Amino acid sequence: MQSRMAVAASASALALTVTATGCSEEQDYGLGERVRIGIKFDQPGLGLERTDGSFTGFDVDVARYVARELGYDKDDIEFKETRSADRETALNSGDVDFVVATYSITDARKAQVDFAGPYLLAHQDLLIRIRGDIKEVADLNGRKLCSVTGSTSAQNVKKNLAPNAELTEVDSYSECLEALKNGDVDAVTTDDAILAGYAAQDQYVNKFEIAGLRLSNENYGIGVKKGNTALVDGINSALEKMVDDESWYRAVLDNFSPANYNYEPAPGIGVVVK
């Protein structure tokens, strides 16, 4: 009788310990019953909302994997559109728990938010027509270059790399790709991962290629509200596991392979390439 009571008491104590541990971990992350993740809604191959309301892309796959490792089912994820200009505000206001949205790690941004990762090393590059004659960035001088209005990539080309390029600025990269397809421009510039996502769309497969010039290093990280080191550590552990079990590589191939994207190997967690 006493033995059975002792076993029962031990079991109860163990259950309480497990429950308390689970609660403390959730509180340490600062997350609720649902996790709110900021992504892009309009970037094919990275973060795209389909017409049926579902989401697809490499950033989406990374976000779902991380959320699962943090203890959330697919149905417990709420994706929230987070445009580039709104990422810091969304994190600091608590509108999202973390951001996975082609978010390059920079010193200026690190002053406002914390980062896990990086989870992808991208580069500024050019998208050109297959078998075109642009072999290096200087070949853009006298040619028509397309990017979105206010793009730092386009300004980098004009200011530092090919000052005599004729720059066309439009509202979206989709407009740039249509102009490239129609011969109205000679190249499109932004990060190679973004270019690969657009070029992987069915209507553009086998029409374009990435020049492979690697004009900058863009370390994509996962943004977290400043000071939440427990969440940063939890996300980093999830990213390491994603690489180790090869889910990271499958996600790259699933989203970028139609564009023949010559992607970099998975970066080391915490290793920012200057």
Side-chain angles (χ1 to χ4, degrees), residues 113-132:
V113 301
D114 288 336
F115 284 97
Y119 64 92
L120 183 72
L121 176 59
H123 308 277
Q124 182 188 346
D125 218 311
L126 305 177
L127 190 70
I128 56 178
R129 288 182 289 275
I130 287 181
R131 292 180 293 278

Side-chain angles (χ1 to χ4, degrees), residues 77-122:
I77 298 171
E78 179 184 357
F79 286 121
K80 306 195 75 169
E81 184 173 20
T82 309
R83 301 180 183 276
S84 294
D86 302 328
R87 290 177 295 206
E88 289 83 17
T89 300
L91 286 168
N92 290 321
S93 68
D95 189 45
V96 297
D97 295 308
F98 56 88
V99 171
V100 192
T102 63
Y103 202 0
S104 296
I105 301 171
T106 67
D107 290 339
R109 289 170 178 163
K110 285 166 65 176
Q112 301 180 67
V113 301
D114 288 336
F115 284 97
Y119 64 92
L120 183 72
L121 176 59

Side-chain angles (χ1 to χ4, degrees), residues 113-165:
V113 301
D114 288 336
F115 284 97
Y119 64 92
L120 183 72
L121 176 59
H123 308 277
Q124 182 188 346
D125 218 311
L126 305 177
L127 190 70
I128 56 178
R129 288 182 289 275
I130 287 181
R131 292 180 293 278
D133 59 354
I134 295 176
K135 306 301 181 185
E136 55 188 44
V137 70
D139 293 336
L140 285 175
N141 286 309
R143 305 288 188 88
K144 295 180 179 179
L145 173 68
C146 188
S147 196
V148 297
T149 302
S151 163
T152 55
S153 296
Q155 298 307 317
N156 182 39
V157 171
K158 281 287 293 178
K159 184 177 180 180
N160 302 313
L161 302 172
N164 294 322

Side-chain angles (χ1 to χ4, degrees), residues 36-226:
R36 301 158 302 160
I37 306 175
I39 62 168
K40 300 288 184 67
F41 277 24
D42 59 354
Q43 283 191 338
L46 287 154
L48 182 69
E49 183 180 21
R50 297 188 180 105
T51 55
D52 64 1
S54 62
F55 298 94
T56 184
F58 180 70
D59 282 352
V60 174
D61 290 344
V62 170
R64 284 179 174 148
Y65 190 100
V66 168
R68 186 174 69 247
E69 291 302 306
L70 294 177
Y72 290 91
D73 294 330
K74 186 176 180 180
D75 293 338
D76 295 328
I77 298 171
E78 179 184 357
F79 286 121
K80 306 195 75 169
E81 184 173 20
T82 309
R83 301 180 183 276
S84 294
D86 302 328
R87 290 177 295 206
E88 289 83 17
T89 300
L91 286 168
N92 290 321
S93 68
D95 189 45
V96 297
D97 295 308
F98 56 88
V99 171
V100 192
T102 63
Y103 202 0
S104 296
I105 301 171
T106 67
D107 290 339
R109 289 170 178 163
K110 285 166 65 176
Q112 301 180 67
V113 301
D114 288 336
F115 284 97
Y119 64 92
L120 183 72
L121 176 59
H123 308 277
Q124 182 188 346
D125 218 311
L126 305 177
L127 190 70
I128 56 178
R129 288 182 289 275
I130 287 181
R131 292 180 293 278
D133 59 354
I134 295 176
K135 306 301 181 185
E136 55 188 44
V137 70
D139 293 336
L140 285 175
N141 286 309
R143 305 288 188 88
K144 295 180 179 179
L145 173 68
C146 188
S147 196
V148 297
T149 302
S151 163
T152 55
S153 296
Q155 298 307 317
N156 182 39
V157 171
K158 281 287 293 178
K159 184 177 180 180
N160 302 313
L161 302 172
N164 294 322
E166 183 180 334
L167 178 60
T168 297
E169 294 182 288
V170 296
D171 290 334
S172 70
Y173 288 113
S174 294
E175 292 179 62
C176 280
L177 265 73
E178 281 298 302
L180 184 62
K181 184 182 74 172
N182 297 333
D184 297 327
V185 300
D186 300 297
V188 180
T189 188
T190 187
D191 297 355
D192 53 7
I194 296 174
L195 295 172
Y198 279 98
Q201 296 175 101
D202 291 343
Q203 67 268 37
Y204 298 132
V205 171
N206 297 324
K207 288 185 171 61
F208 308 130
E209 62 184 349
I210 296 171
L213 302 180
R214 299 186 172 182
L215 303 174
S216 70
N217 293 323
E218 307 295 336
N219 298 267
Y220 288 175
I222 296 180
V224 173
K225 187 173 183 178
K226 198 156 191 66

Side-chain angles (χ1 to χ4, degrees), residues 1 55 140 233 272:
M1 179 72 172
F55 298 94
L140 285 175
D233 291 343
V272 175

